[in-house]
Amino acid sequence: MEKNYAAMTEQELRTEIATLREKARKAEQLGIMNEFAVYDRKAIMAASYLVDLDKIVLGEMYRIDGAPGEFFKVDRLKGRFAWGHRLGSERYEEAIPVAMLLPMKVGK
């Protein structure tokens, strides 16, 4: 039986992330983009369980990993998702995995 991410230790999560990234890389090399997207998203979700939620500040703006030039304002957290708005699209609330949030200041 597979363990869910919340029940995994940090080492188990890191191993799972590495495995998923390798599967994603192989799928991308074979041109199977839908499979690549699934493994990539699973790796992001697993990585979200390594994020310290106390370090995410509500009301703060973050860069979005994998989306250069896009910014996300966190309104609330629910589980391992940050809910809020991308800069420039305040009408549409969306949720992104917390592992995709990067601090505004590089090196912080």
Side-chain angles (χ1 to χ4, degrees):
M1 188 171 86
E2 241 180 69
K3 255 187 181 178
N4 68 34
Y5 296 146
M8 289 183 178
T9 65
E10 181 179 340
Q11 187 54 50
E12 288 172 323
L13 283 167
R14 291 188 187 286
T15 300
E16 176 75 0
I17 292 162
T19 301
L20 290 167
R21 287 193 174 137
E22 179 61 20
K23 287 180 177 181
R25 187 187 64 76
K26 286 180 180 172
E28 187 177 34
Q29 284 180 335
L30 295 171
I32 310 169
M33 298 316 289
N34 59 337
E35 196 172 298
F36 164 78
V38 168
Y39 288 128
D40 185 54
R41 184 58 63 167
K42 280 185 166 189
I44 291 168
M45 283 310 304
S48 292
Y49 283 86
L50 295 173
V51 173
D52 180 356
L53 297 178
D54 291 333
K55 295 200 184 296
I56 298 173
V57 181
L58 301 184
E60 283 285 311
M61 193 71 72
Y62 291 85
R63 294 179 297 127
I64 302 173
D65 191 17
E70 291 192 33
F71 302 96
F72 190 83
K73 182 178 176 229
V74 177
D75 295 329
R76 61 191 167 96
L77 295 173
K78 184 172 182 185
R80 293 289 158 169
F81 285 89
W83 285 83
H85 301 86
R86 287 180 195 244
L87 194 62
S89 67
E90 279 71 25
R91 294 180 299 163
Y92 304 105
E93 183 182 48
E94 65 179 299
I96 62 173
V98 292
M100 294 180 71
L101 299 177
L102 300 172
M104 289 295 286
K105 294 180 182 82
V106 179
K108 186 177 175 186

